[in-house]
Amino acid sequence: MLTLVGVFVLAAATPARAGENTFVEVTPNTAQAGTRVNVRASCDNANNQQATVHSDAFGRVVLRPDNGFLTGAVTVPGNKQPGDYPVDLRCANGNTASTMLTVLNMAQPSKGPATGGGGTAGDRGSGSLLLVGGLAVVAVAAGLGVFGGNRRRPRPGA
């Protein structure tokens, strides 16, 4: 029985093929235009040689060997139109791989006007003034409480 199970497991296993470890990945794979992305790739058994990636999102980038992988970084231009852009890897050994980079181009929110009177006003002195005034009111109230509690009360029968 054990032999049959062993034969079944070995027959169901798929053999490893050359080029199976060729890949490219972009981190983050969704990026705002104007931000930097990292590219990491593997060219199977050729990770000790440079490779290139190309994308309409950022152009051509050379990847260099780094701890068993090929790595590089690039900035997506700030004026890049939003959309999905293929990122194509070309290895020195002829292997290729591809992934997708999604570029966003959202307008950055602007700050509201500093019109004063609120917590968002640019004047820093008003917050300190309010704090000092509040502490003064608390001190006066505490003082009245202490002095008011020490007032002599008439004794019964006196």
Side-chain angles (χ1 to χ4, degrees), residues 1-13:
M1 183 65 144
L2 186 60
T3 306
L4 284 175
V5 170
V7 169
F8 179 74
V9 169
L10 289 175

Side-chain angles (χ1 to χ4, degrees), residues 29-150:
N29 63 354
T30 299
Q32 171 71 24
T35 61
R36 193 165 184 83
V37 295
N38 295 310
V39 182
R40 186 177 90 138
S42 176
C43 287
D44 200 19
N45 294 324
N47 286 343
N48 59 347
Q49 300 173 17
Q50 293 181 353
T52 59
V53 292
H54 179 270
S55 177
D56 289 338
F58 50 74
R60 183 177 174 269
V61 176
V62 175
L63 303 181
R64 293 183 168 67
D66 181 23
N67 292 324
F69 293 99
L70 299 166
T71 61
V74 64
T75 300
V76 178
N79 61 352
K80 184 53 65 181
Q81 293 298 313
D84 293 333
Y85 294 90
V87 178
D88 299 315
L89 169 70
R90 183 159 310 278
C91 301
N93 62 4
N95 290 355
T96 61
S98 185
T99 191
M100 195 67 68
L101 171 65
T102 301
V103 175
L104 306 174
N105 197 344
M106 301 183 312
Q108 298 296 323
S110 62
K111 295 181 180 180
T115 58
T120 60
D123 183 19
R124 294 178 181 229
S126 62
S128 298
L129 184 61
L130 288 174
L131 178 64
V132 171
L135 289 175
V137 168
V138 169
V140 168
L144 289 175
V146 168
F147 287 118
N150 287 339

